[in-house]
Amino acid sequence: QQPVQSPQAVILREGEDAVINCSSSKALYSVHWYRQKHGEAPVFLMILLKGGEQKGHEKISASFNEKKQQSSLYLTASQLSYSGTYFCGTGASGNTPLVFGKGTRLSVIA
Amino acid sequence: NAGVTQTPKFQVLKTGQSMTLQCAQDMNHEYMSWYRQDPGMGLRLIHYSVGAGITDQGEVPNGYNVSRSTTEDFPLRLLSAAPSQTSVYFCASSPDPSGTEAFFGQGTRLTVV
């Protein structure tokens, strides 16, 4: 069952912050975050594992609430290069395939 | 390293034709998978493999076959193409199903007319 992402789309001005949420109805082992530019392949941002810590990558970080089966991706001081579609992928265990959400389209404008 | 290589990048098929989408990886990953991407639907899992000789179905397997004779290759076969199979197809590989980073190929854009 696909995780649910919100919002579906968001428009930001350069320098603004955004939060993208990912929620699952199943207990989770892992949450992945990927960014996809138009016409390109998804690119890995980060992975959060059950029992792990909040991750950070430059101005992009993420959290994982295991009890609520939710993850959030935080983008701070957004740049034009942050534009794209963000996908979360969830794994119920280390041996089960990733299931992806429908994506959140992020547009950063000058 | 080439990573994950998909061929072809673009393909147009007529309804009823068959074809094979190729996927090869050079990272010695045990786990490989195929997804299709349709507007507003995200990435949906078609088939996956946890190692040579082992394959299993994902969310949307109907109309597709796979085999995994080597660690490197994981081809996806469309037996009798239908317009509903018009999509962008991505192959991915990783050391394991969901505990490590997945590497995606550049995709194959398939149109069935």
Side-chain angles (χ1 to χ4, degrees), chain B residues 76-87:
Chain B
L76 178 72
R77 281 182 287 276
L78 282 72
L79 305 176
S80 177
S84 60
Q85 294 178 304
T86 293
S87 188

Side-chain angles (χ1 to χ4, degrees), chain A residues 36-41 105, chain B residues 6-13 19 21-22 34-39 76 78 85-91 105-113:
Chain A
Q36 184 180 32
K37 302 275 188 179
H38 183 69
E40 300 180 4
R105 178 172 290 186
Chain B
Q6 287 184 239
T7 56
K9 286 186 170 53
F10 301 94
Q11 183 71 48
V12 178
L13 284 180
M19 80 160 294
L21 307 185
Q22 301 291 344
W34 277 101
Y35 291 89
R36 61 177 288 174
Q37 185 173 34
D38 304 293
L76 178 72
L78 282 72
Q85 294 178 304
T86 293
S87 188
V88 180
Y89 292 84
F90 286 101
C91 176
Q106 287 303 301
T108 295
R109 184 174 293 273
L110 176 69
T111 302
V112 183
V113 298

Side-chain angles (χ1 to χ4, degrees), chain A residues 12 16-20 35 59-61 73-78 82 86 106:
Chain A
L12 299 174
E16 290 183 338
D17 302 340
V19 180
I20 300 172
R35 177 171 60 206
K59 295 179 182 177
I60 301 175
S61 62
L73 185 71
Y74 306 94
L75 299 102
T76 58
S78 59
Y82 286 4
Y86 290 77
L106 179 77

